[in-house]
Amino acid sequence: QQQVKQSPQSLIVQKGGISIINCAYENTAFDYFPWYQQFPGKGPALLIAIRPDVSEKKEGRFTISFNKSAKQFSLHIMDSQPGDSATYFCAAGYIRNAGNNRKLIWGLGTSLAVNP
Amino acid sequence: DVKVTQSSRYLVKRTGEKVFLECVQDMDHENMFWYRQDPGLGLRLIYFSYDVKMKEKGDIPEGYSVSREKKERFSLILESASTNQTSMYLCASSPGNAGAYEQYFGPGTRLTVT
């Protein structure tokens, strides 16, 4: 299966709270799991990414937790701020058969609003 | 910084018109992509290219074609625009091999077909 299922579709969090967005996948060939952040009027931008040989990666207030056995990964935003309000996309990458090319399969996105 | 530019931020076209969306990247990336973004449907891949003059269909290629004559430029063509092609179009690029997963996006072109 080449799908990546993302939840929730939308999320409202109070300033200072923890935002959690979850993604699940089926294909065990995926070898790269990035999260992209998109602000209104802008294109998505890579926020943080993890490889399946690691269970957690932290960059500032953003943490990816990865559960290989459950085929799930999640983004945690600690001390959420109004400036974090954006759409977040998870994705999963795999190497295509021909030419060692790499492709991303995208989740549908989560709209996060952080109230002041 | 990697920069991906798209020719227009907003575009209004009439049904049946031929529409060209241009994308240019300045980081010598091998890979380029065209997506459309619609509410609730996420990012859907239209076409991608791993090399000059090379193109491959993505998930929703119907009604679209592409051209990549130079490494830095990737064009999306709507041969005969229809109202169901009203959408936000995003171009992206990425380096080859191990870096290929890291896609850099342009700001998008919001196309309205009336």
Side-chain angles (χ1 to χ4, degrees):
Chain A
Q1 290 289 343
Q2 294 294 68
Q3 287 183 327
V4 176
K5 296 182 179 179
Q6 184 172 347
S7 62
Q9 186 174 6
S10 63
L11 182 62
I12 300 174
V13 174
Q14 293 300 118
K15 179 181 175 181
I18 302 173
S19 303
I20 302 174
I21 305 170
N22 301 298
C23 284
Y25 64 96
E26 289 294 326
N27 190 346
T28 57
F30 290 139
D31 67 348
Y32 182 81
F33 300 89
W35 286 89
Y36 281 74
Q37 179 188 54
Q38 183 182 27
F39 292 109
K42 305 283 188 181
L46 179 64
L47 179 64
I48 187 173
I50 198 168
R51 299 242 178 218
D53 54 346
V54 177
S55 61
E56 184 176 282
K57 183 173 182 181
K58 185 176 182 179
E59 291 184 2
R61 296 183 295 108
F62 300 90
T63 301
I64 298 179
S65 297
F66 184 79
N67 186 329
K68 191 173 182 178
S69 61
K71 299 179 187 174
Q72 295 175 347
F73 60 108
S74 59
L75 176 69
H76 296 238
I77 306 175
M78 310 301 288
D79 188 25
S80 298
Q81 299 296 313
D84 297 329
S85 298
T87 300
Y88 292 82
F89 292 96
C90 65
Y94 71 100
I95 299 175
R96 298 168 71 234
N97 290 333
N100 202 31
N101 294 317
R102 289 164 169 80
K103 188 177 180 183
L104 289 177
I105 305 298
W106 297 84
L108 294 185
T110 296
S111 178
L112 171 66
V114 181
N115 289 334
Chain B
D1 281 351
V2 175
K3 193 165 186 182
V4 178
T5 56
Q6 296 184 228
S7 51
S8 304
R9 293 302 303 272
Y10 300 93
L11 207 53
V12 179
K13 295 292 182 181
R14 295 201 177 272
T15 301
E17 279 192 83
K18 190 169 186 176
V19 181
F20 294 87
L21 302 182
E22 305 286 339
C23 176
V24 177
Q25 50 95 3
D26 66 357
M27 284 301 292
D28 200 36
H29 283 171
E30 282 78 4
N31 309 313
M32 297 191 75
F33 308 84
W34 274 107
Y35 293 89
R36 65 177 282 177
Q37 182 175 15
D38 301 286
L41 298 179
L43 302 171
R44 292 184 292 168
L45 183 63
I46 304 171
Y47 267 96
F48 56 100
S49 170
Y50 288 109
D51 201 353
V52 175
K53 296 188 185 294
M54 179 274 186
K55 59 186 178 184
E56 289 196 35
K57 293 179 180 179
D59 301 316
I60 53 164
E62 296 78 19
Y64 304 94
S65 62
V66 291
S67 173
R68 194 173 182 193
E69 296 296 318
K70 294 184 177 181
K71 190 175 185 180
E72 68 271 19
R73 188 179 297 269
F74 193 35
S75 302
L76 179 69
I77 303 156
L78 287 66
E79 296 290 343
S80 177
S82 64
T83 54
N84 63 12
Q85 293 178 310
T86 292
S87 185
M88 171 68 81
Y89 290 88
L90 291 163
C91 175
S93 71
S94 71
N97 296 324
Y101 287 138
E102 298 182 24
Q103 297 187 12
Y104 295 83
F105 284 82
T109 295
R110 183 164 295 281
L111 172 66
T112 301
V113 182
T114 62

